[in-house]
Amino acid sequence: MKILSVQSGSIGEELGIQAGDELVAVNGYEVTDILDYEYVLGAEKFTMTVRSCGEETLYEVDKYEDEDIGLEFDREIAPRVCKNHCVFCFVDQLPERDLRSTLRVKDDDYRHSFLSGNYITMTNLTDGDVDRIIRLKLSPLYISVHSADEAVRLRLLGIKRAPRLMAQVNKLYDGGIHMHGQIVYCPGINDDYRNTALATAPYFDSLAIVPVGLTRCCNPALTPVDAEKAAEVVRETEALQRRFLKEKGTRYFFAADEFYTKAGIEVPPYEEYEDFPQIENGVGLIARFKNEFDEGMDELAGAPGRCCIATGTSAYSLIRSCADKITDKFGGEINVYAIRNDFFGETVTVAGLVTGGDILAQLKGKELGERLIIPSVMLREFGDVFLDDTSVSWLSDRLGVPVTVSPPDGYGFVKNILSGGRLCK
């Protein structure tokens, strides 16, 4: 791993290390990526092998705990690409149209699971990878289980053989690695989710079940989750939660909000999501949003003026209700528009997959007021680009109004409406 620079006055400079040298090993282990280096930085003593002009030198480093030694590296980790052929793979369902290029990358890298919370199948892990995870304490990991039955799991992954999942899980658990799991529920295939929850409970910190997402380009053999199936999942999940709460002291198994909305069932109270371990999987978003919204309504003040909000069809009822509460208390005029997903297909209902092109097509000529508000989940993280590679400024120019990007939390939602928020024009 090439050293890009050495900080002046640092331990690295004192040792005579220079930019362009290569870090070969730490504590006798070959360096694979930046994680090897960051792991030893927390120790007071370690060894590192550096190659300079073809010659390798072993350095013994003695420093204060967590003291930096002044070496800079390229921190990017190119993802290990998934080699499965999952019958429900969302990437394979993407339309052949302009999209952000990163959306077509099938990331199945355990390092990104640790760093970013990406879910991985672990089918590409070697024994050496598992040993490295344990040695570097890469915890927690986020694992796509789908089914504890190996035959069912292989069918879902579209492969004939893979390392046995529960054997890997057991080794990681014994090594002190915390894990969170998910089941992508495909009706008629992995209806054994109850058994999967019971099989994983001794090892995982939490497990989520989420409905299979189907675009208009989906595998025709797959069946969408309808209201009846959604209600069944909710019943089974809540029954298991009561059991786990007695046995583990945690509800452990959580159903995605989408099951509740599809079934027309009220989501559980805020407290029942505990510490929201599966929030990134769409579990507890509604309960948390409502709780934060109520806080914002109690603490904030302002005037919403005349504005409009664009959201996905599944969140429309919630956002409409919240907008009505704001106008009842603070006045103003707020129009809420549910954006039908023509880009991916009408079966895709979440706000995070709404594109700029669909917003433009459906809001052109509508009453927008003084500004349009969109949730940040519609955009690339830390950016202003939609999934179809259009930008917020592009949308603003074509609609003729400023666009406010609102954070996905309820408190920020209220604040943006009452204060104007971050304008992008």
Side-chain angles (χ1 to χ4, degrees), residues 76-261:
E76 184 175 353
I77 299 176
R80 185 180 296 186
V81 177
C82 180
K83 296 182 179 179
N84 303 320
H85 304 283
C86 298
V87 297
F88 55 82
C89 179
F90 196 80
V91 176
D92 289 343
Q93 297 184 57
L94 295 177
E96 295 296 328
R97 298 169 63 178
D98 290 336
L99 283 167
R100 296 203 309 257
S101 58
T102 52
L103 293 177
R104 300 194 187 275
V105 177
K106 298 182 180 182
D107 188 341
D108 198 22
D109 197 310
Y110 70 90
R111 299 166 298 179
H112 289 183
S113 181
F114 166 67
L115 293 169
S116 305
N118 296 355
Y119 276 88
I120 57 171
T121 64
M122 303 207 301
T123 59
N124 59 12
L125 290 189
T126 65
D127 290 342
D129 291 329
V130 175
D131 290 340
R132 183 176 186 244
I133 290 170
I134 294 171
R135 175 170 56 86
L136 298 184
K137 298 180 176 61
L138 304 183
S139 177
L141 292 180
Y142 296 82
I143 299 169
S144 290
V145 180
H146 306 319
S147 174
D149 183 306
E150 284 294 322
V152 175
R153 186 167 189 265
L154 290 177
R155 178 186 172 189
L156 287 163
L157 297 179
I159 54 179
K160 293 182 178 180
R161 63 180 62 87
R164 295 187 67 83
L165 173 71
M166 294 311 295
Q168 292 176 314
V169 164
N170 187 65
K171 185 174 182 179
L172 290 169
Y173 178 81
D174 288 343
I177 302 302
H178 289 269
M179 293 167 282
H180 298 274
Q182 74 167 356
I183 298 169
V184 174
Y185 174 47
C186 302
I189 302 179
N190 58 342
D191 296 303
D192 62 342
Y193 54 83
R194 185 178 186 278
N195 292 334
T196 300
L198 293 170
T200 56
Y203 308 100
F204 283 26
D205 290 352
S206 72
L207 179 69
I209 182 168
V210 301
V212 61
L214 302 177
T215 75
R216 55 185 174 78
C217 304
C218 72
N219 182 340
L222 294 176
T223 302
V225 176
D226 59 18
E228 183 180 354
K229 282 292 185 183
E232 180 182 310
V233 169
V234 169
R235 287 193 301 270
E236 289 286 346
T237 299
E238 294 186 344
L240 282 169
Q241 285 184 334
R242 291 190 289 271
R243 172 175 173 174
F244 289 133
L245 193 58
K246 292 179 180 179
E247 297 176 355
K248 288 173 62 73
T250 171
R251 291 174 179 82
Y252 176 67
F253 189 40
F254 300 91
D257 292 1
E258 195 172 348
F259 285 111
Y260 289 89
T261 58

Side-chain angles (χ1 to χ4, degrees), residues 219-343:
N219 182 340
L222 294 176
T223 302
V225 176
D226 59 18
E228 183 180 354
K229 282 292 185 183
E232 180 182 310
V233 169
V234 169
R235 287 193 301 270
E236 289 286 346
T237 299
E238 294 186 344
L240 282 169
Q241 285 184 334
R242 291 190 289 271
R243 172 175 173 174
F244 289 133
L245 193 58
K246 292 179 180 179
E247 297 176 355
K248 288 173 62 73
T250 171
R251 291 174 179 82
Y252 176 67
F253 189 40
F254 300 91
D257 292 1
E258 195 172 348
F259 285 111
Y260 289 89
T261 58
K262 279 181 178 290
I265 299 173
E266 187 74 19
V267 299
Y270 178 87
E271 296 75 15
E272 292 190 12
Y273 288 98
E274 300 175 5
D275 59 351
F276 291 82
Q278 294 277 353
I279 192 73
E280 298 298 330
N281 232 337
V283 177
L285 282 171
I286 294 175
R288 191 171 75 171
F289 186 94
K290 286 181 175 179
N291 186 73
E292 294 164 339
F293 176 83
D294 290 342
E295 291 179 356
M297 290 290 286
D298 289 341
E299 298 176 8
L300 299 171
R306 295 173 55 252
C307 63
C308 71
I309 302 169
T311 187
T313 55
S314 62
Y316 172 78
S317 295
L318 172 64
I319 300 303
R320 177 71 270 171
S321 172
C322 291
D324 289 343
K325 290 178 181 178
I326 290 175
T327 54
D328 287 345
K329 182 174 181 178
F330 300 102
E333 180 183 334
I334 305 174
N335 288 314
V336 181
Y337 297 108
I339 304 300
R340 183 185 64 254
N341 202 316
D342 293 329
F343 190 92

